[in-house]
Amino acid sequence: MTSTTPTTTRHGLHLADVTLTYGDGESTVTALDAVSLDVEPGELLAVVGPSGSGKSSLLAVAGGLIPPTSGRVSVGGTDLTSVSSRRLAELRRTHIGFVFQSGNLVPALTAIDQLRLPLHLGRVDDPRDPVALLEEVGMTHRADRRPDKLSGGERQRIGIARALVTRPRLLLVDEPTAALDRHRSQEIVALLAREAHDHGVATVMVTHDHDVLHHCDRVLQMTDGTLTSASV
Ligand code: ADP
Ligand code: MG
């Protein structure tokens, strides 16, 4: 991967005129309608909007899980829409982290082994140390616990740490506080902001939770597949 462009925005997330339609013929749905977006390294962006407005579709396209119908997506300076499927899988594994509502942890693994797992799935240049990262998310005292013995907030901390262990350029987070109480929600989004800022990770968080937006650097509103600036 080589990039000589000095434009720093290209090293976070860059979407240019991205459209995504599902289905064909009479039953097409336009989930993303000409979306352009730059997220800088170290920036935490929140995306709010009603159910069905296209928020999860935005994350899926930004993370290379679904190819856009048209437009371009680049992460860390690499155009996801022009690489081979093998290279795309590699970029997803090493450059892009995903965090889901429920943490999506592996039931049989202890907390520390959840963090080691991404490093066993293939080569990673300069990974973070799982033991130090576990401490950074405040979970050292739960290192040997499996997910069924962790609280919702603790599972979310492990899910975030696991997504960060490869030092991704881009972190995509879908409704991380949906299952948490108010206090835990604040802690989780504060943790996301700290990780984004301290480690230069471009972070996009979808949320319904307006109480956590003060942790975010920018808030955008998704409406019928279109992104606009939001008044918070
Ligand atoms: P949100 O996350 O904001 O609730 P989504 O991105 O999940 O929105 O959905 C946006 C639109 O795309 C909705 O109209 C939804 O019904 C539609 N949609 C999402 N996924 C699919 C799919 N796999 N096939 C067809 N339509 C879909
Ligand atoms: Mg969604």
Side-chain angles (χ1 to χ4, degrees), residues 27-170:
S27 60
T28 61
V29 174
T30 301
L32 299 175
D33 188 1
V35 170
S36 294
L37 173 67
D38 282 301
V39 186
E40 308 270 350
E43 181 182 23
L44 173 57
L45 169 73
V47 176
V48 297
S51 184
S53 60
K55 304 182 300 298
S56 294
S57 297
L58 177 73
L59 297 187
V61 166
L65 295 175
I66 304 178
T69 308
S70 64
R72 290 192 170 272
V73 179
S74 79
V75 173
T78 302
D79 185 345
L80 302 188
T81 55
S82 67
V83 296
S84 67
S85 58
R86 188 195 178 99
R87 178 83 183 117
L88 180 59
E90 187 68 9
L91 286 166
R92 279 208 307 259
R93 187 175 66 78
T94 58
H95 278 41
I96 302 170
F98 291 93
V99 177
F100 302 96
Q101 184 172 323
S102 56
N104 280 45
L105 302 179
V106 180
L109 294 184
T110 62
I112 186 65
D113 284 341
Q114 308 277 347
L115 271 62
R116 291 180 177 133
L117 182 62
L119 308 180
H120 291 303
L121 298 178
R123 189 189 145 74
V124 176
D125 293 327
D126 191 29
R128 289 174 70 178
D129 170 24
V131 172
L133 186 52
L134 195 71
E135 181 168 9
E136 195 165 311
V137 301
M139 288 291 291
T140 302
H141 63 306
R142 299 285 187 253
D144 297 323
R145 291 217 184 164
R146 294 191 170 77
D148 63 340
K149 296 288 191 300
L150 297 173
S151 71
E154 288 173 340
R155 283 199 288 272
Q156 207 53 291
R157 283 172 189 276
I158 296 299
I160 291 166
R162 181 185 57 181
L164 291 169
V165 76
T166 62
R167 286 188 205 277
R169 307 292 184 88
L170 175 64

